[in-house]
Amino acid sequence: MDDQKYMNHNGKDFTDNKSKRILQLEKEVAFGLWVQVLGNIIELKGLSELFHIEEDANTLGEQQILTGVWIRTIGQILEAVSVSKQLKETDLLKLIEEQKLAITGDLLVSLGSAYEVIGGIHVLEEEAVKIPRIVP
């Protein structure tokens, strides 16, 4: 029998299967957040390099997209760090602070995504203004 004890967020010991399963699922959530962070960093790297290579990348829309991805990535990192810290936290006040930090990260992710959408709309508008070339 597994004698390992786990602590819930209220500091109480528990060893039942449901509580162990909850802890396992919380760890999966934290892992998923870190996978998202990695994806955001890869996206940010690629977009940054494209921004510097493309000749017409200095448009307002392109800049807004890149800024939105930066904001989203920072928020995702903040959320992932906070959720990871929550897994080990037994002090209720510290847990609440980490939860507030995770919510702040979520807010930044949302704001970054919204700013990225605005940039995408600007890019579409800028592209629509250009006269299409007729290929003979």
Side-chain angles (χ1 to χ4, degrees):
M1 183 170 175
D2 186 16
D3 291 329
Q4 184 178 10
K5 290 190 175 188
Y6 298 90
M7 301 290 281
N8 69 8
H9 294 309
N10 295 325
K12 296 178 183 174
D13 291 339
F14 59 84
T15 55
D16 62 78
N17 286 335
K18 182 178 178 182
S19 297
K20 289 178 187 177
R21 181 70 178 140
I22 289 171
L23 181 61
Q24 178 187 5
L25 292 170
E26 288 174 341
K27 288 179 180 180
E28 285 182 26
V29 169
F31 178 73
L33 290 171
W34 283 108
V35 169
Q36 289 178 37
V37 166
L38 180 60
N40 284 342
I41 290 171
I42 292 168
E43 178 185 12
L44 185 58
K45 180 187 177 296
L47 285 174
S48 295
E49 289 180 15
L50 279 171
F51 185 79
H52 292 293
I53 290 174
E54 291 183 354
E55 294 173 10
D56 63 347
N58 288 325
T59 65
L60 175 64
E62 298 278 344
Q63 291 172 353
Q64 286 176 318
I65 290 171
L66 187 59
T67 301
V69 174
W70 267 104
I71 294 168
R72 187 167 40 90
T73 302
I74 291 167
Q76 193 70 50
I77 292 169
L78 195 61
E79 182 183 11
V81 168
S82 174
V83 168
S84 295
K85 286 183 178 180
Q86 288 178 48
L87 292 174
K88 301 172 190 165
E89 191 56 64
T90 57
D91 182 281
L92 186 57
L93 292 176
K94 289 180 182 177
L95 177 66
I96 290 171
E97 289 302 313
E98 290 300 332
Q99 290 172 341
K100 288 178 183 177
L101 202 56
I103 292 168
T104 301
D106 276 335
L107 176 65
L108 287 173
V109 168
S110 298
L111 292 174
S113 294
Y115 201 63
E116 190 177 352
V117 166
I118 292 167
I121 291 169
H122 281 125
V123 167
L124 281 175
E125 290 171 350
E126 291 164 356
E127 292 293 320
V129 172
K130 291 181 181 177
I131 300 171
R133 274 191 348 190
I134 299 174
V135 179

